């Protein structure tokens, strides 16, 4: 099957061609470097006013704030909001969304548990929830523009993370209908992990979190990380990581 054409047929899309620029933040190390990189491009194109950042929280399953050796480390939701603010995005243009049903309740109801090779919660509880959150804005802009709303969904996926992500296109169309055209862009896909960690150590304006996975609890033998490397979700759902 041929790939659907994007609004801008390029691995580096023309940001001015989109009506909504929608970076998706997990609160982790990759989403913060993605947002910093993307914000520079948006500023150069003069379209930062079209940007709204989104964070899909898993509620009780998301890493909470923790205290280790007298230091408080922010929750993933707090980190996502702080990363957005650190890049100059007004608080009213950062949106946190969640599914109406608790993920563990749905797991119990349908017998499906996220696991290695089948982390369906990424699409189901994160990307799909954010897509739904666009609907009121899409309805308004659709009436004003008289055409489908052009949305650029921006994510911090990198090739170094997995074989699957290495083969993931840097730019592609993920939805086209009469109401919206959604393209997806991975601006830091080719950043190696070492470069991401070096950026966090030397140049990051974004706050970072503390002890690494699997368990940021007092008494851990793990040293504080140089960048936020916890999973976005906490055990038991983090088992897929």
């Amino acid at each position: 099957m041929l790939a659907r054409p994007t609004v801008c047929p390029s691995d580096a899309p023309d940001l001015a061609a989109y009506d909504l620029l929608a970076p998706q933040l997990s609160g982790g190390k990759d989403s913060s470097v993605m947002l910093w990189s993307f914000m520079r491009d948006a500023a150069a194109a003069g379209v930062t006013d079209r940007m709204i950042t989104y964070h899909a929280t898993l509620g009780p399953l998301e890493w909470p704030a923790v205290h280790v050796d007298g230091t408080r480390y922010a929750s993933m939701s707090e980190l996502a909001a702080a990363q957005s603010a650190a890049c100059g995005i007004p608080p009213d243009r950062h949106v946190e969304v969640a599914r109406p049903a608790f993920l563990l309740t749905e797991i119990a109801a349908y017998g499906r548990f996220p696991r290695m090779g089948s982390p369906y919660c990424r699409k189901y509880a994160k990307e799909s929830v954010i897509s739904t959150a666009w609907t009121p804005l899409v309805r308004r802009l659709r009436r004003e523009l008289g055409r489908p709303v052009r949305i650029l969904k921006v994510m911090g996926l990198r090739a170094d993370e997995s074989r699957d992500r290495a083969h993931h296109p840097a730019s592609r169309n993920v939805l086209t209908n009469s109401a919206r055209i959604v393209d997806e862009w991975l601006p830091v896909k080719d950043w190696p992990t070492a470069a991401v960690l070096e950026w966090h150590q030397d140049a990051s304006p974004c706050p970072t979190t503390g002890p690494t996975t699997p368990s940021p609890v007092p008494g851990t033998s793990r040293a504080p990380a140089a960048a936020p490397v916890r999973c976005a979700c906490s055990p038991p759902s983090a088992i897929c990581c």
Side-chain angles (χ1 to χ4, degrees):
M1 180 182 297
L2 294 177
R4 292 178 300 231
T6 60
V7 172
C8 301
S10 168
D11 283 350
D14 177 8
L15 304 188
Y18 295 90
D19 308 304
L20 171 63
L21 305 174
Q24 299 189 7
L25 305 181
S26 69
K29 69 182 190 308
D30 296 332
S31 68
S32 57
V33 74
M34 172 275 289
L35 183 61
W36 171 79
S37 175
F38 182 66
M39 191 66 178
R40 291 193 308 166
D41 293 337
V47 291
T48 56
D49 60 323
R50 304 183 192 181
M51 187 183 304
I52 300 177
T53 57
Y54 292 85
H55 173 68
T57 176
L58 293 175
L61 283 183
E62 191 157 283
W63 277 120
V66 295
H67 291 80
V68 178
D69 296 332
T71 300
R72 182 185 186 277
Y73 296 101
S75 68
M76 299 309 288
S77 289
E78 290 172 327
L79 281 169
Q83 290 167 359
S84 182
C87 288
I89 298 169
D92 63 349
R93 298 186 72 81
H94 174 72
V95 178
E96 182 173 293
V97 296
R99 287 190 64 81
F102 182 32
L103 182 60
L104 273 184
T105 302
E106 297 182 343
I107 289 172
Y110 299 107
R112 298 177 64 215
F113 200 89
R115 63 187 187 278
M116 184 71 74
S118 182
Y120 70 89
C121 57
R122 293 175 187 168
K123 282 279 187 184
Y124 177 65
K126 297 178 182 179
E127 294 181 54
S128 295
V129 177
I130 291 174
S131 180
T132 300
W134 295 333
T135 300
L137 181 61
V138 166
R139 287 173 178 164
R140 176 174 65 79
L141 290 177
R142 177 73 174 85
R143 290 193 300 268
E144 295 174 1
L145 298 170
R147 59 165 172 77
V149 179
R150 298 168 182 169
I151 300 173
L152 185 61
K153 167 185 170 184
V154 192
M155 302 178 69
L157 304 186
R158 294 184 302 105
D160 262 11
E161 294 179 283
S162 69
R163 184 177 303 171
D164 177 66
R165 293 186 176 186
H167 291 95
H168 200 98
S171 179
R172 62 173 181 164
N173 174 267
V174 293
L175 177 67
T176 296
N177 59 33
S178 61
R180 64 180 81 177
I181 300 172
V182 182
D183 289 347
E184 180 183 272
W185 187 35
L186 313 179
V188 295
K189 179 190 174 185
D190 295 328
W191 277 53
T193 299
V196 173
L197 296 178
E198 181 180 0
W199 177 83
H200 276 281
Q201 291 170 341
D202 300 336
S204 172
C206 302
T208 60
T209 190
T212 61
T213 53
S215 182
V217 296
T220 178
S221 62
R222 294 176 179 267
V229 295
R230 290 184 292 180
C231 305
C233 47
S234 63
S237 63
I239 194 170
C240 69
C241 297

